[in-house]
Amino acid sequence: MWQAYRNGSAYDLRTGNPREDAVRSDLRWGPERTVRARTVALLLLDGPPALPGRAPALKLAGCVIEGPLDLSNSEITVPVELRQCRLEQPVRLIDCRASTVILHQCWAQRLEATRLTVEGDLRLTDSELSQGLVLAQANIGTDLTMEGLRLGGSRRGKSLDADGLNVAQDVNADLLETAGELSLRGARVGGTISLHGARLSNPHGRSALTASRLTVEENLMLAPGPLPSGSDSRMARMQAAAVQGGINLDSSTIGGALVLEGVRLELTHDQELSLRGIQATELTFTPECPERGRVDLQDTVVSRLIDRAASWPGDGRLRLRGFTYEYLIPKGPFPLDQRLAWVHAATPEFSPEPYDRLAACLQTGGEDADAHTVLLTKLRRRRDTLPLPLRVWDYIQDLALGYGYRPGRAALWLVLLLTGGSVWFAENPPPALKPDEAPHWEPFIYTLDLLLPVLDLGQEAAWRTTGPSQWIALTLVILGWLLATIVTAGAAAVILRRN
């Protein structure tokens, strides 16, 4: 091992038998495959000089490292690479500086690396840490790779404690598996966070993923990923991401897209998928609809919303107050009646803002008719909150003119009233007040003069109605004034809303 270190080559104790080399095998590795942690620490902190023309490195394969490996408060200047190794006690890299650290297909109890600084990559792939990983306030110079990593829970219920983590480039965590909370509070990532095919579970806690105040310069993706190596090829070609427990991304900033695609969400009644106050360029919301729990997008701001009708919960389990979006891009059929049900599910107590936002988005896309339908639905829901007298007047406005969004009804009502009045007065002509001065009798013009409150056509004042005709004339005058008032009020309201 000493010579391999000086040469920069691997010290490989694997037998070549997959069963004997498996780190989770029932077979115990004997002393011939055992390396003392104290010797490893001595090599890394005070190792011999490299051979001429070579760069030193610690590369171990197929070893069991015996004893606690504690490299806290130290500086490791050579690359460290462990493959198919067992570390029987926790590894500590607290306040440590290193160049590159790689663990591939290894097993260890726990890795504690609070305030670790790695100039290059930190790669923990296809490995298992049975008591979790701590990367709180760590700084990674390039990429953090956790593909296929399996993390157990700690005593505090966390599988990964990465609060305040700073990664210069990407976090690759495809096929990550956790059995406790994955915590990224206040973390910063200069590239993308990839959680394709990840399985996050926190059966004894409130949230499986907690990343409030997270900053990601590019994308955060929780979506299907490639199946793990060795999977049955007859199965689906992609493994769906799954989260058992809540998700909290409150007040996070995503420079690109936040993608929640095809995720299986298992929430209890008091858990939620919380995206409150997020700012992102794009939100793709196409997970499997959770049977329980809530989805909260209050005060979230995105430019584009890509969604699917079947992904949104109903029954008051959705919150959209303050949710701002500019463009809607449905994935699959999402007719207007379902979109209105989406808003209704988010407002068990009436709130106009989600309706106004949807209408504005539809108008931006040139769908003015649908936007008017949304605003009309909003006003009809508002009517239920009004006192009875105002509710009656509100209903009359809706019936007569659709609050100004159905102007064609004014012409229809005018035609119906004109036709009815003309037929009645044609059969029941009133006598003239002054026969010598009366104009030629025209029942149509007389009815029109009654209905139009502003214009005087010279017919109404020339004839004297009695009996039923008097009441019909009075009704036409009242309806004419009422129709004119509703038309004027509706037109003014529409103009004000557009401005």
Side-chain angles (χ1 to χ4, degrees):
M1 185 175 67
W2 209 265
Q3 287 300 112
Y5 171 87
R6 298 184 65 196
N7 194 41
S9 58
Y11 181 58
D12 194 342
L13 297 180
R14 291 176 291 188
T15 65
N17 186 321
R19 183 170 179 270
E20 293 178 354
D21 291 335
V23 295
R24 295 294 292 167
S25 171
D26 295 333
L27 298 177
R28 293 190 60 83
W29 295 353
E32 72 281 357
R33 298 182 65 175
T34 300
V35 175
R36 289 180 297 174
R38 184 177 179 181
T39 305
V40 173
L42 182 61
L43 272 177
L44 291 175
L45 302 182
D46 193 20
L51 293 175
R54 307 293 296 179
L58 180 67
K59 299 180 181 180
L60 303 179
C63 302
V64 54
I65 298 178
E66 185 180 57
L69 182 57
D70 191 344
L71 299 168
S72 300
N73 302 298
S74 64
E75 183 172 357
I76 303 172
T77 58
V78 299
V80 179
E81 181 177 341
L82 306 180
R83 293 181 177 271
Q84 288 184 275
C85 290
R86 298 180 185 176
L87 297 98
E88 296 185 337
Q89 296 192 32
V91 179
R92 291 182 174 85
L93 300 175
I94 300 171
D95 290 308
C96 177
R97 297 185 64 90
S99 56
T100 299
V101 179
I102 299 173
L103 272 69
H104 180 68
Q105 294 182 349
C106 293
W107 180 92
Q109 282 189 357
R110 184 172 173 82
L111 174 57
E112 298 180 6
T114 303
R115 295 181 297 278
L116 168 68
T117 298
V118 179
E119 296 177 0
D121 290 348
L122 175 59
R123 302 183 61 189
L124 311 170
T125 56
D126 293 328
S127 298
E128 180 175 352
L129 300 173
S130 61
Q131 296 179 14
L133 169 65
V134 180
L135 289 173
Q137 301 178 48
N139 289 279
I140 311 301
T142 50
D143 294 335
L144 170 61
T145 303
M146 299 184 290
E147 294 178 358
L149 181 63
R150 297 175 297 280
L151 297 174
S154 65
R155 294 178 182 177
R156 299 177 60 185
K158 290 186 178 182
S159 285
L160 173 60
D161 182 354
D163 295 346
L165 172 69
N166 187 11
V167 180
Q169 296 184 17
D170 297 330
V171 175
N172 304 310
D174 297 346
L175 304 177
L176 173 69
E177 295 183 14
T178 64
E181 182 184 12
L182 193 163
S183 182
L184 289 163
R185 293 179 179 88
R188 299 183 63 88
V189 177
T192 291
I193 297 180
S194 176
L195 289 162
H196 288 88
R199 301 294 178 92
L200 311 180
S201 175
N202 188 14
H204 306 299
R206 184 172 181 83
S207 295
L209 172 59
T210 303
S212 55
R213 304 183 309 280
L214 171 69
T215 301
V216 181
E217 296 295 333
E218 297 181 8
N219 307 318
L220 194 162
M221 310 185 72
L222 188 57
L227 287 169
S229 58
S231 299
D232 191 343
S233 60
R234 294 172 295 178
M235 297 172 62
R237 305 173 85 180
M238 301 291 283
Q239 172 174 290
V243 180
Q244 183 181 7
I247 297 177
N248 183 345
L249 297 175
D250 293 352
S251 303
S252 293
T253 301
I254 315 294
L258 171 58
V259 179
L260 301 173
E261 180 181 349
V263 185
R264 288 202 296 269
L265 298 174
E266 298 181 29
L267 306 175
T268 62
H269 290 290
D270 61 342
Q271 291 178 336
E272 61 183 10
L273 167 57
S274 181
L275 308 178
R276 285 191 293 264
I278 284 182
Q279 295 189 16
T281 301
E282 179 178 293
L283 171 61
T284 297
F285 191 90
T286 57
E288 296 181 12
C289 181
E291 296 181 0
R292 296 176 295 275
R294 298 178 298 276
V295 175
D296 194 341
L297 283 89
Q298 294 185 92
D299 300 319
T300 294
V301 178
V302 299
S303 177
R304 296 182 297 275
L305 172 61
I306 302 173
D307 64 347
R308 187 173 56 203
S311 296
W312 295 105
D315 305 325
R317 296 189 293 124
L318 175 63
R319 298 171 182 170
L320 297 177
R321 181 171 296 177
F323 178 36
T324 302
Y325 50 91
E326 297 179 14
Y327 302 97
L328 280 173
I329 307 174
K331 215 171 186 181
F334 207 150
L336 183 60
D337 58 343
Q338 292 188 27
R339 186 66 76 179
L340 287 171
W342 172 66
V343 175
H344 186 84
T347 53
E349 295 183 0
F350 172 70
S351 173
E353 192 275 334
Y355 290 95
D356 292 335
R357 172 53 50 189
L358 176 58
C361 180
L362 292 172
Q363 284 181 328
T364 300
E367 302 176 47
D368 290 341
D370 286 348
H372 292 167
T373 301
V374 172
L375 294 173
L376 186 57
T377 304
K378 178 193 75 170
L379 294 171
R380 287 171 177 168
R381 279 204 68 190
R382 186 200 62 171
R383 184 165 65 218
D384 296 333
T385 66
L386 300 176
L388 181 60
L390 293 179
R391 198 181 309 167
V392 172
W393 171 244
D394 212 68
Y395 181 79
I396 293 173
Q397 293 185 75
D398 186 9
L399 181 65
L401 205 60
Y403 298 98
Y405 293 109
R406 300 291 183 263
R409 290 185 185 179
L412 177 62
W413 282 113
L414 185 61
V415 169
L416 290 176
L417 293 174
L418 272 174
T419 302
S422 298
V423 171
W424 173 264
F425 289 116
E427 296 293 332
N428 303 278
L433 289 174
K434 298 179 180 180
D436 297 337
E437 301 177 8
H440 180 70
W441 170 245
E442 289 289 346
F444 175 80
I445 298 177
Y446 178 74
T447 303
L448 185 62
D449 201 3
L450 293 173
L451 286 171
L452 298 179
V454 178
L455 297 179
D456 184 3
L457 302 180
Q459 286 282 339
E460 180 182 357
W463 310 96
R464 179 171 57 86
T465 56
T466 60
S469 294
Q470 184 178 10
W471 290 104
I472 290 175
L474 179 61
T475 300
L476 289 174
V477 170
I478 293 174
L479 291 177
W481 275 103
L482 189 62
L483 186 60
T485 301
I486 293 174
V487 168
T488 303
V494 170
I495 292 172
L496 288 175
R497 292 186 194 110
R498 287 179 177 175
N499 292 336

